[in-house]
Amino acid sequence: MFERIIGPILPVAFIIFLGYFAGKRKRLDKGDSLVISRVVLGYIFPALLLVGMASTPREQLLDFRLVLATFIGIMGMYLIALAIGWWKYRELKAATLKGFVNGYPDAAFMGIPILGTMFGAGSIYSVLVLNIIASLLMIPLTTMLLTIASGEGSGAQAFKTSMAAAVKRPLMWAPALGILCSLLQLKFPPLVAETFTMLGKATPGVSLLCLGLIMSSEALKMSGEIWTNIGLKLLVHPALMIAAIVGLGVHGQYAQQMILLAALPSATIPAMFANEAGAYQSEAATTILVTTVLSIFTFPVAIWLVDGGLAAA
């Protein structure tokens, strides 16, 4: 049991620390992290999604209850945190970014290696479902609200532009192509499948190293706001996902995986939005850093709950 709970966390923690150490020792810098992020999100992660979805059984793709439960868990947390931020700040930029930071778990950088260790390659489907909801709803909605808050243009136009841009990214069309292949029961030629598999296998290690590098460039500034975000992200978010999963009667490995994804720390992309918007910058960066560190201790609890039968078949 100890190995089951701690085993997936230790390699993740070590690789994050390696990236953090490289950043602190100036072997790599913040500019390198941006390049690595582009490589991960533009090439190797889409390759992993492509082959993963193409090999996903067609019946699994048609389980709409799982998609709905994920939508409730992810967007519900986004809206709850946004409402709390509006109540506290009465300012749309800060409230929107608070929602984004707490609603978007780090499925790409931490979820893939952890779930892969626990459940195998098939767990990529859970990451894909979460990624689609975030890319087609959460990110465009955030873009629209930030545009409205800045008074620089039409929020509706910003939403449409963001959605159009999202669809053009490999992160969206690659898994869509994989889904189409699965639904049509088409198989890649072995040489093509092996090529994309080889590229996609680099995702876990490279992404975790990049995460540690990003963390090394951020200063830790604790405040009451950060503690609120920690509670929302690491406690309320998985509880909300559990409620959605149980309420809709979704069971099995993929329900368990969604609970674990919601228990992950905040993703790094909200910090990039905060930098661009010129608001909530310190709060976003510190929340991401602290929830990532604390998840090394809180995530094993989520594993223990799942292994105890939560949402099991």
Side-chain angles (χ1 to χ4, degrees):
M1 176 63 74
F2 178 81
E3 183 178 348
R4 166 74 172 175
I5 293 176
I6 302 300
I9 301 297
L10 290 181
V12 168
F14 176 78
I15 299 174
I16 291 174
F17 173 76
L18 192 61
Y20 183 86
F21 180 78
K24 286 299 184 183
R25 294 291 299 235
K26 306 301 181 185
R27 303 293 176 85
L28 297 170
D29 58 29
K30 193 171 184 178
D32 294 320
S33 72
L34 294 175
V35 174
I36 297 172
S37 292
R38 293 191 194 105
V39 172
V40 171
L41 299 177
Y43 295 94
I44 63 177
F45 186 27
L48 183 68
L49 292 175
L50 175 62
V51 293
M53 294 316 303
S55 60
T56 300
R58 181 167 57 179
E59 319 79 68
Q60 186 180 310
L61 295 176
L62 300 177
D63 186 357
F64 295 109
R65 289 187 305 163
L66 177 63
V67 176
L68 179 59
T70 306
F71 170 82
I72 294 171
I74 299 301
M75 293 305 298
M77 186 68 256
Y78 178 92
L79 295 175
I80 289 170
L82 189 153
I84 293 173
W86 176 257
W87 175 78
K88 179 175 181 179
Y89 293 107
R90 300 293 175 178
E91 201 278 312
L92 188 56
K93 275 189 180 182
T96 300
L97 290 165
K98 183 180 180 69
F100 199 18
V101 166
N102 288 289
Y104 198 170
D106 193 9
F109 284 7
M110 289 187 70
I112 290 175
I114 291 175
L115 294 190
T117 299
M118 295 180 64
F119 298 98
S123 61
I124 194 66
Y125 174 69
S126 303
V127 177
L128 170 71
V129 171
L130 190 149
N131 179 71
I132 288 176
I133 292 172
S135 296
L136 289 183
L137 290 175
M138 189 180 294
I139 292 177
L141 179 58
T142 298
T143 302
M144 180 184 74
L145 292 175
L146 291 177
T147 301
I148 293 172
S150 66
E152 295 176 354
S154 165
Q157 183 59 43
F159 184 86
K160 289 188 289 185
T161 301
S162 182
M163 283 197 67
V167 172
K168 292 177 183 177
R169 295 184 189 124
L171 202 57
M172 288 305 301
W173 60 255
L177 179 59
I179 289 173
L180 182 62
C181 290
S182 175
L183 292 176
L184 298 178
Q185 297 186 317
L186 300 176
K187 300 291 184 183
F188 288 126
L191 184 60
V192 174
E194 180 59 29
T195 300
F196 285 113
T197 299
M198 184 181 298
L199 182 61
K201 282 180 178 178
T203 301
V206 175
S207 61
L208 290 172
L209 188 76
C210 181
L211 178 59
L213 182 56
I214 292 171
M215 289 170 60
S216 72
S217 65
E218 304 296 346
L220 183 64
K221 297 179 182 178
M222 294 301 294
S223 66
E225 176 68 7
I226 305 304
W227 287 111
T228 301
N229 287 346
I230 290 170
L232 288 171
K233 184 68 206 72
L234 298 182
L235 299 177
V236 177
H237 199 180
L240 180 61
M241 184 65 78
I242 291 171
I245 292 290
V246 173
L248 289 171
V250 183
H251 303 285
Q253 281 193 353
Y254 292 98
Q256 294 177 323
Q257 289 163 22
M258 282 305 176
I259 294 170
L260 293 177
L261 287 176
L264 288 172
S266 302
T268 55
I269 191 171
M272 300 176 190
F273 272 68
N275 286 337
E276 186 175 343
Y280 210 70
Q281 293 157 289
S282 174
E283 293 88 346
T286 305
T287 297
I288 293 165
L289 175 60
V290 176
T291 55
T292 299
V293 173
L294 290 181
S295 68
I296 296 173
F297 305 98
T298 61
F299 195 77
V301 176
I303 297 176
W304 177 75
L305 288 173
V306 164
D307 278 353
L310 185 61

PDB file of all heavy atoms in Angstrom, residues 111-149:
ATOM      1  N   GLY A 111      -0.198  15.285 -14.324  1.00  0.00           N
ATOM      2  CA  GLY A 111      -1.208  14.240 -14.431  1.00  0.00           C
ATOM      3  C   GLY A 111      -0.773  13.064 -15.281  1.00  0.00           C
ATOM      4  O   GLY A 111      -0.992  11.898 -14.920  1.00  0.00           O
ATOM      5  N   ILE A 112      -0.140  13.349 -16.422  1.00  0.00           N
ATOM      6  CA  ILE A 112       0.251  12.269 -17.332  1.00  0.00           C
ATOM      7  C   ILE A 112       1.221  11.283 -16.681  1.00  0.00           C
ATOM      8  O   ILE A 112       0.983  10.067 -16.709  1.00  0.00           O
ATOM      9  CB  ILE A 112       0.830  12.847 -18.637  1.00  0.00           C
ATOM     10  CG1 ILE A 112      -0.286  13.509 -19.442  1.00  0.00           C
ATOM     11  CG2 ILE A 112       1.502  11.760 -19.468  1.00  0.00           C
ATOM     12  CD1 ILE A 112       0.200  14.201 -20.683  1.00  0.00           C
ATOM     13  N   PRO A 113       2.344  11.743 -16.089  1.00  0.00           N
ATOM     14  CA  PRO A 113       3.258  10.757 -15.496  1.00  0.00           C
ATOM     15  C   PRO A 113       2.670  10.014 -14.308  1.00  0.00           C
ATOM     16  O   PRO A 113       2.911   8.811 -14.150  1.00  0.00           O
ATOM     17  CB  PRO A 113       4.472  11.602 -15.079  1.00  0.00           C
ATOM     18  CG  PRO A 113       3.985  13.000 -15.010  1.00  0.00           C
ATOM     19  CD  PRO A 113       2.905  13.111 -16.023  1.00  0.00           C
ATOM     20  N   ILE A 114       1.881  10.695 -13.482  1.00  0.00           N
ATOM     21  CA  ILE A 114       1.330  10.028 -12.298  1.00  0.00           C
ATOM     22  C   ILE A 114       0.273   9.004 -12.689  1.00  0.00           C
ATOM     23  O   ILE A 114       0.314   7.844 -12.271  1.00  0.00           O
ATOM     24  CB  ILE A 114       0.749  11.062 -11.315  1.00  0.00           C
ATOM     25  CG1 ILE A 114       1.874  11.898 -10.699  1.00  0.00           C
ATOM     26  CG2 ILE A 114      -0.043  10.358 -10.206  1.00  0.00           C
ATOM     27  CD1 ILE A 114       1.392  13.019  -9.801  1.00  0.00           C
ATOM     28  N   LEU A 115      -0.692   9.417 -13.525  1.00  0.00           N
ATOM     29  CA  LEU A 115      -1.743   8.480 -13.935  1.00  0.00           C
ATOM     30  C   LEU A 115      -1.174   7.358 -14.793  1.00  0.00           C
ATOM     31  O   LEU A 115      -1.647   6.224 -14.740  1.00  0.00           O
ATOM     32  CB  LEU A 115      -2.843   9.216 -14.705  1.00  0.00           C
ATOM     33  CG  LEU A 115      -3.672  10.240 -13.913  1.00  0.00           C
ATOM     34  CD1 LEU A 115      -4.866  10.697 -14.746  1.00  0.00           C
ATOM     35  CD2 LEU A 115      -4.137   9.687 -12.579  1.00  0.00           C
ATOM     36  N   GLY A 116      -0.153   7.686 -15.606  1.00  0.00           N
ATOM     37  CA  GLY A 116       0.487   6.648 -16.416  1.00  0.00           C
ATOM     38  C   GLY A 116       1.105   5.569 -15.552  1.00  0.00           C
ATOM     39  O   GLY A 116       1.022   4.372 -15.860  1.00  0.00           O
ATOM     40  N   THR A 117       1.728   5.964 -14.454  1.00  0.00           N
ATOM     41  CA  THR A 117       2.325   5.001 -13.529  1.00  0.00           C
ATOM     42  C   THR A 117       1.257   4.155 -12.844  1.00  0.00           C
ATOM     43  O   THR A 117       1.423   2.941 -12.672  1.00  0.00           O
ATOM     44  CB  THR A 117       3.155   5.742 -12.460  1.00  0.00           C
ATOM     45  OG1 THR A 117       4.204   6.477 -13.101  1.00  0.00           O
ATOM     46  CG2 THR A 117       3.759   4.762 -11.471  1.00  0.00           C
ATOM     47  N   MET A 118       0.149   4.787 -12.496  1.00  0.00           N
ATOM     48  CA  MET A 118      -0.889   4.096 -11.730  1.00  0.00           C
ATOM     49  C   MET A 118      -1.815   3.247 -12.593  1.00  0.00           C
ATOM     50  O   MET A 118      -2.203   2.148 -12.210  1.00  0.00           O
ATOM     51  CB  MET A 118      -1.722   5.119 -10.947  1.00  0.00           C
ATOM     52  CG  MET A 118      -0.958   5.860  -9.870  1.00  0.00           C
ATOM     53  SD  MET A 118      -2.016   7.040  -8.991  1.00  0.00           S
ATOM     54  CE  MET A 118      -3.203   5.931  -8.230  1.00  0.00           C
ATOM     55  N   PHE A 119      -2.206   3.789 -13.767  1.00  0.00           N
ATOM     56  CA  PHE A 119      -3.263   3.143 -14.562  1.00  0.00           C
ATOM     57  C   PHE A 119      -2.820   2.701 -15.954  1.00  0.00           C
ATOM     58  O   PHE A 119      -3.584   2.040 -16.655  1.00  0.00           O
ATOM     59  CB  PHE A 119      -4.448   4.109 -14.723  1.00  0.00           C
ATOM     60  CG  PHE A 119      -5.102   4.493 -13.430  1.00  0.00           C
ATOM     61  CD1 PHE A 119      -4.789   5.688 -12.802  1.00  0.00           C
ATOM     62  CD2 PHE A 119      -6.037   3.662 -12.832  1.00  0.00           C
ATOM     63  CE1 PHE A 119      -5.398   6.061 -11.610  1.00  0.00           C
ATOM     64  CE2 PHE A 119      -6.650   4.017 -11.635  1.00  0.00           C
ATOM     65  CZ  PHE A 119      -6.330   5.216 -11.025  1.00  0.00           C
ATOM     66  N   GLY A 120      -1.621   3.095 -16.376  1.00  0.00           N
ATOM     67  CA  GLY A 120      -1.171   2.706 -17.702  1.00  0.00           C
ATOM     68  C   GLY A 120      -1.494   3.753 -18.758  1.00  0.00           C
ATOM     69  O   GLY A 120      -2.064   4.816 -18.467  1.00  0.00           O
ATOM     70  N   ALA A 121      -1.150   3.430 -20.003  1.00  0.00           N
ATOM     71  CA  ALA A 121      -1.269   4.386 -21.107  1.00  0.00           C
ATOM     72  C   ALA A 121      -2.709   4.815 -21.364  1.00  0.00           C
ATOM     73  O   ALA A 121      -2.952   5.914 -21.873  1.00  0.00           O
ATOM     74  CB  ALA A 121      -0.670   3.784 -22.381  1.00  0.00           C
ATOM     75  N   GLY A 122      -3.692   3.977 -21.034  1.00  0.00           N
ATOM     76  CA  GLY A 122      -5.089   4.312 -21.290  1.00  0.00           C
ATOM     77  C   GLY A 122      -5.584   5.520 -20.523  1.00  0.00           C
ATOM     78  O   GLY A 122      -6.614   6.107 -20.870  1.00  0.00           O
ATOM     79  N   SER A 123      -4.859   5.928 -19.492  1.00  0.00           N
ATOM     80  CA  SER A 123      -5.282   7.073 -18.676  1.00  0.00           C
ATOM     81  C   SER A 123      -5.194   8.388 -19.435  1.00  0.00           C
ATOM     82  O   SER A 123      -5.695   9.409 -18.958  1.00  0.00           O
ATOM     83  CB  SER A 123      -4.429   7.158 -17.407  1.00  0.00           C
ATOM     84  OG  SER A 123      -3.059   7.336 -17.729  1.00  0.00           O
ATOM     85  N   ILE A 124      -4.585   8.383 -20.621  1.00  0.00           N
ATOM     86  CA  ILE A 124      -4.473   9.611 -21.411  1.00  0.00           C
ATOM     87  C   ILE A 124      -5.853  10.143 -21.786  1.00  0.00           C
ATOM     88  O   ILE A 124      -6.041  11.346 -22.007  1.00  0.00           O
ATOM     89  CB  ILE A 124      -3.627   9.360 -22.678  1.00  0.00           C
ATOM     90  CG1 ILE A 124      -3.205  10.676 -23.325  1.00  0.00           C
ATOM     91  CG2 ILE A 124      -4.363   8.503 -23.671  1.00  0.00           C
ATOM     92  CD1 ILE A 124      -2.276  11.490 -22.496  1.00  0.00           C
ATOM     93  N   TYR A 125      -6.872   9.276 -21.824  1.00  0.00           N
ATOM     94  CA  TYR A 125      -8.222   9.725 -22.156  1.00  0.00           C
ATOM     95  C   TYR A 125      -8.741  10.730 -21.142  1.00  0.00           C
ATOM     96  O   TYR A 125      -9.361  11.735 -21.505  1.00  0.00           O
ATOM     97  CB  TYR A 125      -9.161   8.517 -22.227  1.00  0.00           C
ATOM     98  CG  TYR A 125     -10.614   8.878 -22.417  1.00  0.00           C
ATOM     99  CD1 TYR A 125     -11.048   9.435 -23.620  1.00  0.00           C
ATOM    100  CD2 TYR A 125     -11.543   8.682 -21.400  1.00  0.00           C
ATOM    101  CE1 TYR A 125     -12.377   9.789 -23.797  1.00  0.00           C
ATOM    102  CE2 TYR A 125     -12.868   9.025 -21.576  1.00  0.00           C
ATOM    103  CZ  TYR A 125     -13.283   9.571 -22.765  1.00  0.00           C
ATOM    104  OH  TYR A 125     -14.597   9.932 -22.937  1.00  0.00           O
ATOM    105  N   SER A 126      -8.495  10.485 -19.862  1.00  0.00           N
ATOM    106  CA  SER A 126      -8.947  11.405 -18.816  1.00  0.00           C
ATOM    107  C   SER A 126      -8.308  12.774 -18.979  1.00  0.00           C
ATOM    108  O   SER A 126      -8.967  13.807 -18.841  1.00  0.00           O
ATOM    109  CB  SER A 126      -8.607  10.844 -17.429  1.00  0.00           C
ATOM    110  OG  SER A 126      -9.179   9.578 -17.255  1.00  0.00           O
ATOM    111  N   VAL A 127      -7.001  12.775 -19.278  1.00  0.00           N
ATOM    112  CA  VAL A 127      -6.293  14.040 -19.492  1.00  0.00           C
ATOM    113  C   VAL A 127      -6.876  14.764 -20.701  1.00  0.00           C
ATOM    114  O   VAL A 127      -7.030  15.989 -20.696  1.00  0.00           O
ATOM    115  CB  VAL A 127      -4.783  13.786 -19.678  1.00  0.00           C
ATOM    116  CG1 VAL A 127      -4.045  15.088 -19.978  1.00  0.00           C
ATOM    117  CG2 VAL A 127      -4.200  13.130 -18.431  1.00  0.00           C
ATOM    118  N   LEU A 128      -7.211  14.009 -21.736  1.00  0.00           N
ATOM    119  CA  LEU A 128      -7.773  14.616 -22.948  1.00  0.00           C
ATOM    120  C   LEU A 128      -9.104  15.295 -22.660  1.00  0.00           C
ATOM    121  O   LEU A 128      -9.337  16.434 -23.087  1.00  0.00           O
ATOM    122  CB  LEU A 128      -7.964  13.558 -24.024  1.00  0.00           C
ATOM    123  CG  LEU A 128      -8.757  14.031 -25.245  1.00  0.00           C
ATOM    124  CD1 LEU A 128      -7.936  15.015 -26.065  1.00  0.00           C
ATOM    125  CD2 LEU A 128      -9.220  12.890 -26.106  1.00  0.00           C
ATOM    126  N   VAL A 129     -10.004  14.622 -21.933  1.00  0.00           N
ATOM    127  CA  VAL A 129     -11.315  15.188 -21.629  1.00  0.00           C
ATOM    128  C   VAL A 129     -11.159  16.506 -20.878  1.00  0.00           C
ATOM    129  O   VAL A 129     -11.784  17.517 -21.209  1.00  0.00           O
ATOM    130  CB  VAL A 129     -12.165  14.191 -20.802  1.00  0.00           C
ATOM    131  CG1 VAL A 129     -13.435  14.853 -20.304  1.00  0.00           C
ATOM    132  CG2 VAL A 129     -12.506  12.968 -21.648  1.00  0.00           C
ATOM    133  N   LEU A 130     -10.283  16.502 -19.877  1.00  0.00           N
ATOM    134  CA  LEU A 130     -10.052  17.726 -19.112  1.00  0.00           C
ATOM    135  C   LEU A 130      -9.451  18.818 -19.992  1.00  0.00           C
ATOM    136  O   LEU A 130      -9.845  19.982 -19.925  1.00  0.00           O
ATOM    137  CB  LEU A 130      -9.130  17.420 -17.927  1.00  0.00           C
ATOM    138  CG  LEU A 130      -8.966  18.526 -16.883  1.00  0.00           C
ATOM    139  CD1 LEU A 130      -8.712  17.916 -15.505  1.00  0.00           C
ATOM    140  CD2 LEU A 130      -7.837  19.486 -17.224  1.00  0.00           C
ATOM    141  N   ASN A 131      -8.522  18.426 -20.854  1.00  0.00           N
ATOM    142  CA  ASN A 131      -7.854  19.395 -21.719  1.00  0.00           C
ATOM    143  C   ASN A 131      -8.828  20.039 -22.711  1.00  0.00           C
ATOM    144  O   ASN A 131      -8.743  21.241 -22.992  1.00  0.00           O
ATOM    145  CB  ASN A 131      -6.717  18.705 -22.480  1.00  0.00           C
ATOM    146  CG  ASN A 131      -5.990  19.642 -23.416  1.00  0.00           C
ATOM    147  OD1 ASN A 131      -5.261  20.521 -22.987  1.00  0.00           O
ATOM    148  ND2 ASN A 131      -6.193  19.465 -24.712  1.00  0.00           N
ATOM    149  N   ILE A 132      -9.765  19.264 -23.227  1.00  0.00           N
ATOM    150  CA  ILE A 132     -10.744  19.804 -24.173  1.00  0.00           C
ATOM    151  C   ILE A 132     -11.637  20.832 -23.486  1.00  0.00           C
ATOM    152  O   ILE A 132     -11.908  21.913 -24.031  1.00  0.00           O
ATOM    153  CB  ILE A 132     -11.589  18.663 -24.782  1.00  0.00           C
ATOM    154  CG1 ILE A 132     -10.743  17.849 -25.763  1.00  0.00           C
ATOM    155  CG2 ILE A 132     -12.824  19.217 -25.488  1.00  0.00           C
ATOM    156  CD1 ILE A 132     -11.458  16.660 -26.345  1.00  0.00           C
ATOM    157  N   ILE A 133     -12.113  20.505 -22.289  1.00  0.00           N
ATOM    158  CA  ILE A 133     -12.969  21.442 -21.554  1.00  0.00           C
ATOM    159  C   ILE A 133     -12.212  22.727 -21.252  1.00  0.00           C
ATOM    160  O   ILE A 133     -12.739  23.840 -21.431  1.00  0.00           O
ATOM    161  CB  ILE A 133     -13.478  20.784 -20.257  1.00  0.00           C
ATOM    162  CG1 ILE A 133     -14.444  19.649 -20.601  1.00  0.00           C
ATOM    163  CG2 ILE A 133     -14.171  21.812 -19.356  1.00  0.00           C
ATOM    164  CD1 ILE A 133     -14.856  18.804 -19.413  1.00  0.00           C
ATOM    165  N   ALA A 134     -10.959  22.591 -20.821  1.00  0.00           N
ATOM    166  CA  ALA A 134     -10.161  23.774 -20.504  1.00  0.00           C
ATOM    167  C   ALA A 134      -9.869  24.600 -21.753  1.00  0.00           C
ATOM    168  O   ALA A 134      -9.963  25.833 -21.735  1.00  0.00           O
ATOM    169  CB  ALA A 134      -8.857  23.357 -19.830  1.00  0.00           C
ATOM    170  N   SER A 135      -9.535  23.942 -22.854  1.00  0.00           N
ATOM    171  CA  SER A 135      -9.131  24.657 -24.068  1.00  0.00           C
ATOM    172  C   SER A 135     -10.301  25.310 -24.789  1.00  0.00           C
ATOM    173  O   SER A 135     -10.158  26.412 -25.340  1.00  0.00           O
ATOM    174  CB  SER A 135      -8.408  23.697 -25.022  1.00  0.00           C
ATOM    175  OG  SER A 135      -7.219  23.223 -24.448  1.00  0.00           O
ATOM    176  N   LEU A 136     -11.456  24.641 -24.798  1.00  0.00           N
ATOM    177  CA  LEU A 136     -12.593  25.165 -25.556  1.00  0.00           C
ATOM    178  C   LEU A 136     -13.558  26.004 -24.728  1.00  0.00           C
ATOM    179  O   LEU A 136     -14.387  26.724 -25.297  1.00  0.00           O
ATOM    180  CB  LEU A 136     -13.355  24.017 -26.215  1.00  0.00           C
ATOM    181  CG  LEU A 136     -12.642  23.333 -27.385  1.00  0.00           C
ATOM    182  CD1 LEU A 136     -13.532  22.258 -27.989  1.00  0.00           C
ATOM    183  CD2 LEU A 136     -12.226  24.341 -28.451  1.00  0.00           C
ATOM    184  N   LEU A 137     -13.462  25.930 -23.397  1.00  0.00           N
ATOM    185  CA  LEU A 137     -14.384  26.701 -22.554  1.00  0.00           C
ATOM    186  C   LEU A 137     -13.659  27.624 -21.578  1.00  0.00           C
ATOM    187  O   LEU A 137     -13.867  28.834 -21.588  1.00  0.00           O
ATOM    188  CB  LEU A 137     -15.306  25.745 -21.787  1.00  0.00           C
ATOM    189  CG  LEU A 137     -16.345  24.994 -22.624  1.00  0.00           C
ATOM    190  CD1 LEU A 137     -17.092  24.005 -21.766  1.00  0.00           C
ATOM    191  CD2 LEU A 137     -17.307  25.960 -23.281  1.00  0.00           C
ATOM    192  N   MET A 138     -12.777  27.046 -20.751  1.00  0.00           N
ATOM    193  CA  MET A 138     -12.174  27.839 -19.686  1.00  0.00           C
ATOM    194  C   MET A 138     -11.236  28.921 -20.229  1.00  0.00           C
ATOM    195  O   MET A 138     -11.321  30.089 -19.825  1.00  0.00           O
ATOM    196  CB  MET A 138     -11.415  26.937 -18.712  1.00  0.00           C
ATOM    197  CG  MET A 138     -10.935  27.670 -17.463  1.00  0.00           C
ATOM    198  SD  MET A 138     -10.031  26.578 -16.335  1.00  0.00           S
ATOM    199  CE  MET A 138     -11.341  25.456 -15.823  1.00  0.00           C
ATOM    200  N   ILE A 139     -10.357  28.559 -21.149  1.00  0.00           N
ATOM    201  CA  ILE A 139      -9.406  29.544 -21.672  1.00  0.00           C
ATOM    202  C   ILE A 139     -10.109  30.627 -22.491  1.00  0.00           C
ATOM    203  O   ILE A 139      -9.852  31.826 -22.286  1.00  0.00           O
ATOM    204  CB  ILE A 139      -8.296  28.846 -22.491  1.00  0.00           C
ATOM    205  CG1 ILE A 139      -7.412  28.017 -21.546  1.00  0.00           C
ATOM    206  CG2 ILE A 139      -7.436  29.864 -23.252  1.00  0.00           C
ATOM    207  CD1 ILE A 139      -6.332  27.221 -22.231  1.00  0.00           C
ATOM    208  N   PRO A 140     -11.029  30.288 -23.424  1.00  0.00           N
ATOM    209  CA  PRO A 140     -11.759  31.359 -24.120  1.00  0.00           C
ATOM    210  C   PRO A 140     -12.576  32.246 -23.187  1.00  0.00           C
ATOM    211  O   PRO A 140     -12.652  33.462 -23.388  1.00  0.00           O
ATOM    212  CB  PRO A 140     -12.660  30.589 -25.094  1.00  0.00           C
ATOM    213  CG  PRO A 140     -11.945  29.314 -25.330  1.00  0.00           C
ATOM    214  CD  PRO A 140     -11.317  28.973 -24.008  1.00  0.00           C
ATOM    215  N   LEU A 141     -13.224  31.646 -22.168  1.00  0.00           N
ATOM    216  CA  LEU A 141     -14.004  32.437 -21.217  1.00  0.00           C
ATOM    217  C   LEU A 141     -13.097  33.387 -20.444  1.00  0.00           C
ATOM    218  O   LEU A 141     -13.449  34.559 -20.234  1.00  0.00           O
ATOM    219  CB  LEU A 141     -14.751  31.509 -20.256  1.00  0.00           C
ATOM    220  CG  LEU A 141     -15.598  32.190 -19.174  1.00  0.00           C
ATOM    221  CD1 LEU A 141     -16.654  33.096 -19.806  1.00  0.00           C
ATOM    222  CD2 LEU A 141     -16.253  31.151 -18.271  1.00  0.00           C
ATOM    223  N   THR A 142     -11.929  32.911 -20.033  1.00  0.00           N
ATOM    224  CA  THR A 142     -10.963  33.763 -19.334  1.00  0.00           C
ATOM    225  C   THR A 142     -10.511  34.907 -20.232  1.00  0.00           C
ATOM    226  O   THR A 142     -10.435  36.066 -19.801  1.00  0.00           O
ATOM    227  CB  THR A 142      -9.741  32.933 -18.892  1.00  0.00           C
ATOM    228  OG1 THR A 142     -10.179  31.912 -17.979  1.00  0.00           O
ATOM    229  CG2 THR A 142      -8.698  33.803 -18.211  1.00  0.00           C
ATOM    230  N   THR A 143     -10.216  34.592 -21.483  1.00  0.00           N
ATOM    231  CA  THR A 143      -9.797  35.617 -22.443  1.00  0.00           C
ATOM    232  C   THR A 143     -10.880  36.676 -22.618  1.00  0.00           C
ATOM    233  O   THR A 143     -10.604  37.885 -22.640  1.00  0.00           O
ATOM    234  CB  THR A 143      -9.471  34.974 -23.802  1.00  0.00           C
ATOM    235  OG1 THR A 143      -8.441  33.993 -23.630  1.00  0.00           O
ATOM    236  CG2 THR A 143      -8.989  36.024 -24.810  1.00  0.00           C
ATOM    237  N   MET A 144     -12.128  36.240 -22.731  1.00  0.00           N
ATOM    238  CA  MET A 144     -13.243  37.157 -22.908  1.00  0.00           C
ATOM    239  C   MET A 144     -13.395  38.080 -21.698  1.00  0.00           C
ATOM    240  O   MET A 144     -13.516  39.307 -21.845  1.00  0.00           O
ATOM    241  CB  MET A 144     -14.540  36.376 -23.116  1.00  0.00           C
ATOM    242  CG  MET A 144     -15.767  37.265 -23.310  1.00  0.00           C
ATOM    243  SD  MET A 144     -17.317  36.314 -23.430  1.00  0.00           S
ATOM    244  CE  MET A 144     -17.531  35.821 -21.713  1.00  0.00           C
ATOM    245  N   LEU A 145     -13.354  37.506 -20.487  1.00  0.00           N
ATOM    246  CA  LEU A 145     -13.546  38.312 -19.284  1.00  0.00           C
ATOM    247  C   LEU A 145     -12.392  39.302 -19.073  1.00  0.00           C
ATOM    248  O   LEU A 145     -12.613  40.441 -18.656  1.00  0.00           O
ATOM    249  CB  LEU A 145     -13.693  37.400 -18.068  1.00  0.00           C
ATOM    250  CG  LEU A 145     -14.965  36.542 -18.025  1.00  0.00           C
ATOM    251  CD1 LEU A 145     -14.935  35.593 -16.845  1.00  0.00           C
ATOM    252  CD2 LEU A 145     -16.206  37.418 -17.984  1.00  0.00           C
ATOM    253  N   LEU A 146     -11.176  38.881 -19.376  1.00  0.00           N
ATOM    254  CA  LEU A 146     -10.033  39.788 -19.243  1.00  0.00           C
ATOM    255  C   LEU A 146     -10.109  40.918 -20.266  1.00  0.00           C
ATOM    256  O   LEU A 146      -9.717  42.059 -19.978  1.00  0.00           O
ATOM    257  CB  LEU A 146      -8.720  39.021 -19.404  1.00  0.00           C
ATOM    258  CG  LEU A 146      -8.368  38.050 -18.271  1.00  0.00           C
ATOM    259  CD1 LEU A 146      -7.087  37.291 -18.592  1.00  0.00           C
ATOM    260  CD2 LEU A 146      -8.217  38.799 -16.946  1.00  0.00           C
ATOM    261  N   THR A 147     -10.616  40.618 -21.449  1.00  0.00           N
ATOM    262  CA  THR A 147     -10.782  41.652 -22.476  1.00  0.00           C
ATOM    263  C   THR A 147     -11.835  42.660 -22.046  1.00  0.00           C
ATOM    264  O   THR A 147     -11.656  43.881 -22.191  1.00  0.00           O
ATOM    265  CB  THR A 147     -11.180  41.018 -23.826  1.00  0.00           C
ATOM    266  OG1 THR A 147     -10.158  40.098 -24.225  1.00  0.00           O
ATOM    267  CG2 THR A 147     -11.341  42.090 -24.900  1.00  0.00           C
ATOM    268  N   ILE A 148     -12.953  42.159 -21.499  1.00  0.00           N
ATOM    269  CA  ILE A 148     -13.996  43.059 -20.992  1.00  0.00           C
ATOM    270  C   ILE A 148     -13.438  43.927 -19.869  1.00  0.00           C
ATOM    271  O   ILE A 148     -13.680  45.143 -19.821  1.00  0.00           O
ATOM    272  CB  ILE A 148     -15.200  42.239 -20.488  1.00  0.00           C
ATOM    273  CG1 ILE A 148     -15.893  41.542 -21.656  1.00  0.00           C
ATOM    274  CG2 ILE A 148     -16.193  43.127 -19.745  1.00  0.00           C
ATOM    275  CD1 ILE A 148     -16.973  40.563 -21.233  1.00  0.00           C
ATOM    276  N   ALA A 149     -12.658  43.315 -18.963  1.00  0.00           N
ATOM    277  CA  ALA A 149     -12.108  44.054 -17.828  1.00  0.00           C
ATOM    278  C   ALA A 149     -11.136  45.143 -18.266  1.00  0.00           C
ATOM    279  O   ALA A 149     -11.056  46.207 -17.649  1.00  0.00           O
ATOM    280  CB  ALA A 149     -11.407  43.092 -16.872  1.00  0.00           C
TER     281      ALA A 149
END
